[in-house]
Amino acid sequence: MKLDARIPAGPLAEKWTRFKANVRLVSPANKRKYEVIVVGTGLAGASAAASLAELGYQVKSFCFQDSPRRAHSIAAQGGINAAKNYQNDGDSVRRLFQDTIKGGDFRSREANVHRLAEVSVNIIDQCVAQGVPFAREYGGMLANRSFGGAQVSRTFYARGATGQQLLLGAYQALSRQIGLGKVTMMPRHEMLDLVVEEGQAKGIVTRHLVTGELKTHAADAVLLCTGGYGNAYYLSTYARGSNVTATWRAHRRGALFSNPCFTQIHPTCIPVTGEYQSKLTLMSESLRNDGRCWVPKAKGEQRAAVQIPEGERDYFLERMYPSYGNLAPRDIASRAAKRVCDEGRGVGPTGLGVYLDFSEAIGRLGEATVRERYANLFAMYHEITGESAYESPMRIFPAVHYTMGGLWVDYHLMSNIPGLFVLGEANFSDHGANRLGASALMQGLADGYFVLPYTIGDYLSQQKPRGEKTDGPAFQEAMGATQARTKKLLGVNGRKPVSEFHRKLGKTLWDTCGMSRTKKGLEEGLAILGGLREEFWKDVKVPGSGADLNQSLEKAGRVADFLELGELMCRDALEREESCGCHFREEHQTSDGECARKDAEHSYVSAWEFKGEGKSEVRHTEPLSFEELALATRSYK
Amino acid sequence: MTLERLGFETLFSYRSGGILTVEALESILFLAPSLQTDDFLMNKEILRMIQSSIGRKWIVAVTGVLMIGFVVVHMTGNLQMFAGTPDKINGYAHLLKSYPLVLWSFRLGLLATAALHIWGTISLARENRIAKPVGYAVAGRKSRLQVTLTSVTMVISGIILLGFIIFHLLHFTAQVVDRSYASMETVVGGVTMPDVYRMVVTGFSKPWISLFYVVAMALLFSHLRHGAASVWQTFGLRDRNSAQFIEMGSWILATVLFLGFSSIPVAVLLGVLKL
Amino acid sequence: MKLHLRVWRQQSRQSEGSFVTYEADGLTPNMSFLEMLDVVNDRLTKEGQEPIAFEHDCREGICGSCAMAINGEPHGPNAGATTCQVYLRSFRDGQTLTVEPWRAKAFPVIKDLVADRSAFDRIIQSGGFVSVGTGQAPDANAIPIGKGIAEKAFDAAHCIGCGACVAACRNSSAMLFVAAKVSHLGLLPQGQTERKQRVQKMVAAMDAEGFGNCSNQYACEAVCPKEISVEMIARMNRDYAGAVVDQI
């Protein structure tokens, strides 16, 4: 299969401008004849639905939550990048573009990333106009903070709840369109299948989560804005409901899945405390400004942290990366923590944790200053663990927190199925093998507010409005398949709750396709997952019926898809015989244990094609060419 | 908006002897949308806004403040009982009665105020009951849910106070509780006038009446402790900084009123005030 | 650690509900309250019973999904926390916990501990926004906003729409929720143009949804996981009066 990314011709910096100037348009009078389905109401989905409705399209918006405001974008803490250069510190579109490409370890598309950097400035304008209360300086101007992977201050923030404020801005814009009758909002609806009619995406099948009603919805285009799939790991910083079902169902209908093994693992999270644990909580990266990471030098150390003398502590990040020390980038810091734990020197009851120690900072700055800087984080830590980080060091451990992989899209954000567009974290497009902090929010809003509203016109202008009829064979087939699958899940009637399978899947992925990967481990992982999937369909227990609110059924469907995805993640990791960004293959490392990228063989985007039940997926590749930036090796020593 | 439309014309008409009809009352209550004016629709919107949840809260608060003003003045007047001579309070009562037009407009205004206050609170409270058809099986801790006795008993304290006011009017104004009041007269400075002082002392000499008055004043205390603090919130004048002063102020106001009013029956029973 | 649970079970919106008792055993104080429910639910599933339906998503106190009253207290015993942020160390070993859904006419129970809070969405749809289309915005720094104003607007905007204010209120009043949005947008220069009509429309929508009226007891503020101040309600009352005067 030839993957055409449809990147416009011309110099990189002019591609988007030229594209906009030449893109085909739908006339205002005709826009209202087109229906667009938007699945998901996070930053990408809500912003796209609102913007399309403002343009005059008929929009149907779906989310599985009880309200569009609850999408998981709401939980983003740190901030949103934009090349505003308000700090006069040398920022520019070009620099944001460079940082993002480099941060992604040269595994993303130059043209997409440059466009992202270009529209980043419009996002901030738009959000401020909506009433997003960004942090301000005393003079009333917008404040910025610095984030990893950049040498400029370009991150806009609203305390520790930037995602919430941005999402509420988009939610309010969406609500306005709902109120005006231009968007039909369908909360508590889960998309369970994509309808592909004559090769084009023309609708979806949903289940109403309260009544259980399965229904088909037709449209002229379908937008998936359904987020990432990190919950495949069971334990992650994702919301419990985040799932891959919408994109996975689209994948099974022919949409290619790109770079599934690219998973970001964030170094500073509160470690697991027991089997029952359901969720990992992120502690802001900013803590590493003053906290020092260490583990005991001796294995099996039993003493409490404060009783271990200075000489018996290993400040491993400072030792391994003397120039960046505790501020080494996310993937590097995470791997280092894993390494010392693997050596048996991890701390805490599970041995999976390292200390993040503020005693030196408290000694140097005084407790009052530390309190002033981090009080809310220390309080959050105390709330969860019951421990005071003022008295003894915090325990932290890396956790899954974002997925760079997703459905393959071209420059138009359209997948290989015409009419199926994929936005935000659900697509693979902008972050390569590692995402920089504060760039996820930027991408979601860029796609929804400023990219898709242009690119969708190009597609729709070539389509005849199909109307709302859903009686075609494609719709019936998709409906039948969904009914059968629901029935099958309810009919297994085994012994084990869904969560047991999910936990096992998560543990397997974490162990074999987590922070570091080996051929042997991945092959073992594949074997375990194959068995687990079989076992699932034999032994899962889904109580209740399909005719009302049944959270077990919802979970079962999602975990069934995660199980299939898990195998694909392992296969992708197996076939990418190099290390890059988050993807660390132990076979491919430099003499000092860093990523060894193989640009000659692996400078591509993998794109997996579903070939049918029980058949192996086939990998296609889209080669990446770097015209503007020279491929370089990252070093943080 | 002209004064006419505000209903001043109607007000004026019964000031000069007109009869207070339901229509007239309504036209005052709802700022009299005149059906003839071309901006009728706009007025309808105002009417709707006034009848909204917040609109009625404003009505309750404004009327509440007016009545607080009244009771403060009333108490100040009553305290003339302690002037050392009955002539003081008798003269004061006589003065009030010598301007019947003022007195009656004041009384009717007060009646309308009370009517509005009651209409507002009852309609709000009815909606509140409907809005919470089922409570929690286990009551949360009062400390967590900010439950205070005075705030949760506003309707009860209000209703009992209404009963008290009716009794009070029958007692001293209509004088039907004790028929002998009508014949109690005194002469001050050559002018014959009702002997209010005697009426009060006679009335409060009966312990059950005194007790009833003191209990009612305790309820007034309770009602105002919450009510006087609440008006600031409804008027939008309460914030984090002023909250503690407002709470303290309502305690002081309610306490002063309680002590001021109750002092009279207590003083009578203790024999401090006597004939 | 062990807990006795009395959980409200209700099959559907139409059906009658009742309390069912469950023993939760083998718990640890570091477990979250919702993780304890997960454990109970897995056991119920294995026994072939339907697990307790409850809403939850982010489990870090920001999405606003989780919503239940523990011993009559919305979001449980701790100030400034959502249900998902309650850990078992907040309870005594062997304690009896009565767990109920939000109680309010405007939030009908759908199943077990799940209530329908869509009334909040409809209130926002009535006017809880700034009418600015994508692409219409001037430069973000074109209008300076004082740090204090921005902070205050954030305090209001931090509302997570969980509905605890309504659940805690004796009158099921939604004033704190509505006031938070009215204040957030009313404080910022961007929200001024529509300020008067916004408060008017949102209050009308609030009234139409069947919420009760504020009687100034401030239980809402006490249980709000984001500790939003009732100052916002005062501000809304003022804005509303302004809107009435404007009509005149």
Side-chain angles (χ1 to χ4, degrees), chain B residues 1 14 34 36 49 54 67 75 79 85 89 92 106 113 177 185 214 220 232 236 256 259:
Chain B
M1 178 172 265
Y14 59 71
S34 158
Q36 282 81 37
M49 288 181 80
I54 297 184
M67 288 191 288
M75 181 194 73
L79 288 178
T85 158
I89 190 146
Y92 173 68
F106 195 78
T113 305
V177 176
E185 285 187 342
V214 174
L220 181 68
W232 297 90
V256 166
L259 293 177

Short mmCIF file of all heavy atoms in Angstrom, two decimals, chain B residues 1 14 34 36 49 54 67 75 79 85 89 92 106 113 177 185 214 220 232 236 256 259:
data_model
loop_
_atom_site.label_atom_id
_atom_site.label_comp_id
_atom_site.label_asym_id
_atom_site.label_seq_id
_atom_site.Cartn_x
_atom_site.Cartn_y
_atom_site.Cartn_z
N MET B 1 -38.78 54.83 33.01
CA MET B 1 -40.05 54.44 33.66
C MET B 1 -40.60 55.61 34.48
O MET B 1 -39.87 56.24 35.24
CB MET B 1 -39.79 53.24 34.55
CG MET B 1 -41.02 52.81 35.31
SD MET B 1 -40.69 51.28 36.15
CE MET B 1 -41.30 50.12 34.97
N TYR B 14 -55.17 55.65 47.06
CA TYR B 14 -55.76 55.21 48.32
C TYR B 14 -55.17 55.94 49.52
O TYR B 14 -55.68 55.89 50.60
CB TYR B 14 -55.75 53.69 48.50
CG TYR B 14 -54.43 52.99 48.46
CD1 TYR B 14 -53.50 53.12 49.48
CD2 TYR B 14 -54.15 52.14 47.40
CE1 TYR B 14 -52.31 52.44 49.44
CE2 TYR B 14 -52.95 51.46 47.35
CZ TYR B 14 -52.04 51.61 48.38
OH TYR B 14 -50.87 50.95 48.33
N SER B 34 -48.06 48.45 32.77
CA SER B 34 -49.27 49.01 32.17
C SER B 34 -49.46 48.39 30.79
O SER B 34 -48.59 48.43 29.96
CB SER B 34 -49.13 50.54 32.05
OG SER B 34 -49.99 51.00 31.06
N GLN B 36 -51.12 49.31 28.43
CA GLN B 36 -51.24 50.22 27.30
C GLN B 36 -49.88 50.64 26.73
O GLN B 36 -49.78 51.02 25.60
CB GLN B 36 -52.00 51.50 27.72
CG GLN B 36 -53.52 51.29 27.81
CD GLN B 36 -53.90 50.65 29.12
OE1 GLN B 36 -53.30 50.96 30.15
NE2 GLN B 36 -54.89 49.77 29.10
N MET B 49 -38.32 38.32 35.69
CA MET B 49 -37.07 38.33 36.43
C MET B 49 -37.31 38.53 37.93
O MET B 49 -36.63 37.94 38.76
CB MET B 49 -36.14 39.43 35.90
CG MET B 49 -35.56 39.08 34.53
SD MET B 49 -34.45 40.34 33.90
CE MET B 49 -32.95 39.96 34.79
N ILE B 54 -33.88 34.34 42.10
CA ILE B 54 -33.09 35.42 42.68
C ILE B 54 -33.94 36.66 42.89
O ILE B 54 -33.82 37.36 43.90
CB ILE B 54 -31.86 35.74 41.79
CG1 ILE B 54 -30.95 34.51 41.73
CG2 ILE B 54 -31.10 36.95 42.32
CD1 ILE B 54 -29.67 34.71 40.97
N MET B 67 -38.45 45.52 57.48
CA MET B 67 -39.06 45.10 58.76
C MET B 67 -38.06 45.17 59.90
O MET B 67 -38.43 45.46 61.03
CB MET B 67 -39.67 43.71 58.61
CG MET B 67 -40.94 43.76 57.74
SD MET B 67 -41.90 42.25 57.77
CE MET B 67 -40.87 41.17 56.84
N MET B 75 -38.63 49.04 68.86
CA MET B 75 -38.00 48.75 70.15
C MET B 75 -37.55 50.05 70.82
O MET B 75 -37.75 50.24 72.02
CB MET B 75 -36.79 47.83 69.94
CG MET B 75 -36.09 47.48 71.24
SD MET B 75 -34.47 46.74 70.94
CE MET B 75 -33.55 48.16 70.42
N LEU B 79 -38.73 51.31 74.54
CA LEU B 79 -37.82 51.47 75.67
C LEU B 79 -38.12 52.75 76.47
O LEU B 79 -37.60 52.94 77.55
CB LEU B 79 -36.36 51.45 75.20
CG LEU B 79 -35.88 50.05 74.75
CD1 LEU B 79 -34.47 50.10 74.25
CD2 LEU B 79 -36.02 49.03 75.88
N THR B 85 -41.18 57.98 83.82
CA THR B 85 -42.55 58.48 83.94
C THR B 85 -43.40 57.91 82.81
O THR B 85 -42.96 57.87 81.67
CB THR B 85 -42.60 60.03 83.87
OG1 THR B 85 -43.91 60.42 83.49
CG2 THR B 85 -41.61 60.57 82.85
N ILE B 89 -43.91 57.60 77.28
CA ILE B 89 -44.39 56.66 76.26
C ILE B 89 -45.83 56.98 75.85
O ILE B 89 -46.20 56.85 74.68
CB ILE B 89 -44.23 55.20 76.72
CG1 ILE B 89 -44.51 54.27 75.51
CG2 ILE B 89 -45.17 54.85 77.88
CD1 ILE B 89 -43.70 53.05 75.49
N TYR B 92 -45.63 59.73 73.37
CA TYR B 92 -45.10 59.23 72.09
C TYR B 92 -46.21 58.54 71.29
O TYR B 92 -46.42 58.83 70.11
CB TYR B 92 -43.95 58.27 72.41
CG TYR B 92 -43.41 57.52 71.21
CD1 TYR B 92 -42.73 58.18 70.18
CD2 TYR B 92 -43.55 56.13 71.11
CE1 TYR B 92 -42.22 57.49 69.10
CE2 TYR B 92 -43.03 55.43 70.03
CZ TYR B 92 -42.37 56.12 69.03
OH TYR B 92 -41.87 55.43 67.97
N PHE B 106 -48.30 54.18 56.73
CA PHE B 106 -47.20 53.41 57.28
C PHE B 106 -47.64 51.98 57.58
O PHE B 106 -46.99 51.02 57.24
CB PHE B 106 -46.70 54.11 58.55
CG PHE B 106 -45.36 53.60 58.99
CD1 PHE B 106 -44.19 54.01 58.35
CD2 PHE B 106 -45.27 52.69 60.04
CE1 PHE B 106 -42.97 53.52 58.76
CE2 PHE B 106 -44.04 52.20 60.45
CZ PHE B 106 -42.90 52.62 59.81
N THR B 113 -45.41 45.06 52.98
CA THR B 113 -44.05 44.53 53.11
C THR B 113 -44.08 43.12 53.68
O THR B 113 -43.45 42.20 53.17
CB THR B 113 -43.24 45.46 54.04
OG1 THR B 113 -43.30 46.78 53.53
CG2 THR B 113 -41.79 45.02 54.12
N VAL B 177 -57.85 41.41 73.21
CA VAL B 177 -57.43 40.41 74.18
C VAL B 177 -57.92 40.82 75.58
O VAL B 177 -58.45 40.03 76.35
CB VAL B 177 -55.91 40.23 74.17
CG1 VAL B 177 -55.48 39.26 75.27
CG2 VAL B 177 -55.45 39.74 72.81
N GLU B 185 -57.26 55.46 80.15
CA GLU B 185 -56.89 56.77 79.63
C GLU B 185 -56.14 57.54 80.68
O GLU B 185 -56.22 57.27 81.88
CB GLU B 185 -58.15 57.53 79.20
CG GLU B 185 -58.69 56.98 77.88
CD GLU B 185 -59.83 57.81 77.32
OE1 GLU B 185 -60.42 58.59 78.09
OE2 GLU B 185 -60.12 57.69 76.11
N VAL B 214 -41.69 36.76 75.51
CA VAL B 214 -40.24 36.49 75.58
C VAL B 214 -39.87 35.36 74.60
O VAL B 214 -38.88 35.44 73.88
CB VAL B 214 -39.81 36.15 77.02
CG1 VAL B 214 -38.35 35.72 77.04
CG2 VAL B 214 -40.00 37.37 77.91
N LEU B 220 -37.63 35.71 67.29
CA LEU B 220 -37.20 36.85 66.47
C LEU B 220 -35.67 36.88 66.40
O LEU B 220 -35.07 37.09 65.35
CB LEU B 220 -37.71 38.16 67.06
CG LEU B 220 -37.35 39.41 66.26
CD1 LEU B 220 -38.06 39.44 64.91
CD2 LEU B 220 -37.66 40.69 67.04
N TRP B 232 -27.18 40.47 53.36
CA TRP B 232 -25.93 40.95 52.75
C TRP B 232 -25.56 40.09 51.57
O TRP B 232 -25.07 40.58 50.55
CB TRP B 232 -24.80 40.92 53.78
CG TRP B 232 -25.04 41.84 54.93
CD1 TRP B 232 -25.68 41.56 56.10
CD2 TRP B 232 -24.67 43.23 55.01
NE1 TRP B 232 -25.73 42.68 56.90
CE2 TRP B 232 -25.11 43.72 56.26
CE3 TRP B 232 -24.01 44.10 54.14
CZ2 TRP B 232 -24.91 45.03 56.67
CZ3 TRP B 232 -23.80 45.41 54.54
CH2 TRP B 232 -24.26 45.87 55.80
N GLY B 236 -25.54 40.91 47.52
CA GLY B 236 -24.24 40.79 46.86
C GLY B 236 -23.14 41.55 47.57
O GLY B 236 -22.15 41.96 46.97
N VAL B 256 -29.44 42.40 70.60
CA VAL B 256 -29.93 43.70 71.10
C VAL B 256 -31.45 43.75 71.03
O VAL B 256 -32.12 44.16 71.99
CB VAL B 256 -29.29 44.85 70.29
CG1 VAL B 256 -30.03 46.16 70.54
CG2 VAL B 256 -27.82 44.98 70.62
N LEU B 259 -32.95 41.44 73.72
CA LEU B 259 -32.84 42.01 75.06
C LEU B 259 -33.74 43.23 75.21
O LEU B 259 -34.44 43.40 76.20
CB LEU B 259 -31.39 42.39 75.37
CG LEU B 259 -30.42 41.20 75.49
CD1 LEU B 259 -29.00 41.70 75.71
CD2 LEU B 259 -30.85 40.26 76.61
#
